Amino acid sequence: PYLVYRTMRDEKVRASHRPWDNLVLPKDHPWWDTHYPPNGWRCRCLAFATDERGLEQLRRAAPKDAPVRTEPPPTQ
């Protein structure tokens, strides 16, 4: 029931995409209407599906600099 936004986590990731890394939202959340990857020329980001069990695994394995978030950051 969820989608996870994932960047490549390297120096080439756009600053505007970094806050979206490890963002988990329901697959029908309106945020995906405008942010589903690839979103922009040469965007290397991806999204993948997960469930509650997968979400818990992501939370346990998330790097400290990219914790799992379940609320989208403010859009400018």
Side-chain angles (χ1 to χ4, degrees):
Y2 302 106
L3 290 174
V4 181
Y5 194 100
R6 181 65 53 85
T7 68
M8 290 296 135
R9 300 179 174 173
D10 63 17
E11 69 283 347
K12 295 179 184 178
V13 173
R14 293 178 187 151
S16 60
H17 293 200
R18 277 191 192 104
W20 307 336
D21 190 45
N22 261 358
L23 177 62
V24 180
L25 297 171
K27 64 183 179 183
D28 60 353
H29 192 285
W31 189 84
W32 294 114
D33 295 342
T34 55
H35 293 82
Y36 193 89
N39 48 31
W41 188 70
R42 298 186 88 175
C43 175
R44 300 172 301 135
C45 299
L46 54 92
F48 60 91
T50 194
D51 57 12
E52 287 292 336
R53 184 175 173 201
L55 178 55
E56 288 308 312
Q57 290 173 342
L58 285 170
R59 283 185 170 133
R60 286 193 300 273
K64 290 180 183 178
D65 62 338
V68 171
R69 289 179 311 278
T70 56
E71 292 291 326
T75 305
Q76 298 174 350

